Amino acid sequence: MRIIRPSNKIFSIALRSAPALIGLFSLCILSIHSDPLRAQAPATPATPKPATPEWAQPGSATHTQVAPPADFHRPGKNFETPIGIFAGQSDIGSPAILGSASFDPATAQYTIHSAGYNIWYTRDEFRFLWKKLSGDASLAADITFPDPNGYGDRKAVLIIRQDLDDDSKEVIVALHGLGMIQLAERAEKNIRVKDMEYRIGGRGRPGGASADSLVNVMAKRIGLEKRGDSFTLYVSLEGEPMHPFGPPINLHIDGPFYAGIGFCSHQPDKSDTAVLSNVVLENAAGRVH
């Protein structure tokens, strides 16, 4: 076996070149670690918004809103973080824009931001603040819409729902952006909502073009009472004591159920705001005030 030894000349050149090679190697390493683009972790891709189907667009002069396809449903997003008197909140039906809510103890106001195509037909989309209850219940709230230019059919709601699915069995009391009040029900999962609607107006009131103009009246406060299987709408139009309004709904909802407040902009991909204050949520009937 032959052992090949490097010549003294080659060995000498290698030794003289070693510091330069080490320096070059160190510079490469320093360059790699100091490159801010290489040092950053890869960005997390943004979660895509849910698609907005054509049927979900609000009604207009050029578009008629229709019911969702019978098999169209989306799971909601639930957040079991207490807010005020409520145990948690949910984006029912996963609107295209994530909702949010805040509570100001100083003013007793809940501010709810939400998109959502509707709370209607066979499924709902809205931000819901809830608490689990069983038995009788009383809910009430003052309601205002800070943006006067929001969609006319937007709705702030008091709701008792069997579950957090978008097609839940439920009873709804709603105040709409243009003042309509409704008491509605979805009597079983995945069936169409039906309701009683009240559009209230008066003449000789501020806001009309003349004393004879019919002016919409916005209720100051609405309420919902569950007494057994009977659900009654309560209203205060101008600050008078709350009083029953129209016929009740009879529907059986098992306990525990979800009782609370919510808001829907009635626009599938545009958020709006409702403020609900002086909220009553009692686990008993006869407490609406």
Side-chain angles (χ1 to χ4, degrees):
M1 179 174 66
R2 296 178 59 193
I3 299 175
I4 301 175
R5 300 180 183 276
S7 68
N8 290 340
K9 183 176 180 180
I10 295 174
F11 186 67
S12 175
I13 292 172
L15 288 178
R16 286 198 302 272
S17 302
L21 292 172
I22 292 171
L24 179 62
F25 181 68
S26 298
L27 181 60
C28 291
I29 293 175
L30 180 60
S31 175
I32 291 171
H33 282 278
S34 63
D35 184 343
L37 295 178
R38 293 179 179 271
Q40 292 175 355
T44 302
T47 302
K49 292 181 181 179
T52 302
E54 180 65 18
W55 54 258
Q57 297 297 336
S60 68
T62 58
H63 178 75
T64 299
Q65 188 182 63
V66 297
D71 60 349
F72 186 94
H73 293 286
R74 277 200 299 246
K77 297 179 177 67
N78 304 316
F79 311 93
E80 296 190 8
T81 303
I83 175 170
I85 60 176
F86 299 101
Q89 51 188 307
S90 301
D91 272 333
I92 301 296
S94 291
I97 298 175
L98 188 68
S100 64
S102 60
F103 175 64
D104 183 351
T107 59
Q109 291 184 338
Y110 295 86
T111 300
I112 305 177
H113 308 282
S114 181
Y117 93 105
N118 210 341
I119 306 173
W120 195 245
Y121 298 119
T122 55
R123 63 179 300 272
D124 307 326
E125 289 182 8
F126 70 107
R127 171 59 64 125
F128 180 38
L129 281 59
W130 48 261
K131 184 176 182 179
K132 281 188 175 182
L133 300 176
S134 294
D136 293 341
S138 298
L139 292 88
D142 296 345
I143 295 170
T144 58
F145 302 104
D147 180 3
N149 299 315
Y151 190 75
D153 204 30
R154 59 187 168 172
K155 58 194 73 168
V157 295
L158 313 176
I159 292 189
I160 292 177
R161 314 183 93 234
Q162 187 66 76
D163 55 50
L164 298 177
D165 296 338
D166 65 352
D167 63 346
S168 177
K169 185 177 184 178
E170 65 188 352
V171 175
I172 310 160
V173 165
L175 178 64
H176 293 235
L178 292 180
M180 188 185 85
I181 305 168
Q182 75 182 147
L183 175 64
E185 66 173 318
R186 182 179 291 117
E188 297 293 342
K189 290 181 75 67
N190 201 33
I191 70 168
R192 185 168 177 145
V193 166
K194 66 178 183 179
D195 72 351
M196 290 291 289
E197 301 178 357
Y198 305 97
R199 294 167 175 84
I200 303 168
R203 302 183 193 276
R205 303 175 64 87
S210 73
D212 294 324
S213 299
L214 183 64
V215 178
N216 285 346
V217 174
M218 291 286 293
K220 176 177 175 55
R221 187 170 178 83
I222 59 173
L224 172 63
E225 178 191 71
K226 178 184 182 297
R227 187 184 294 268
D229 292 342
S230 179
F231 294 82
T232 303
L233 164 67
Y234 278 74
V235 175
S236 172
L237 290 176
E238 297 184 314
E240 77 278 9
M242 297 283 280
H243 48 90
F245 207 92
I249 282 173
N250 290 296
L251 181 68
H252 179 75
I253 294 182
D254 295 322
F257 48 79
Y258 294 83
I261 60 177
F263 174 63
C264 167
S265 73
H266 204 287
Q267 295 181 294
D269 52 6
K270 183 178 179 181
S271 185
D272 196 356
T273 303
V275 176
L276 293 88
S277 56
N278 301 314
V279 175
V280 168
L281 175 58
E282 297 282 349
N283 200 172
R287 304 291 178 83
V288 174
H289 60 83

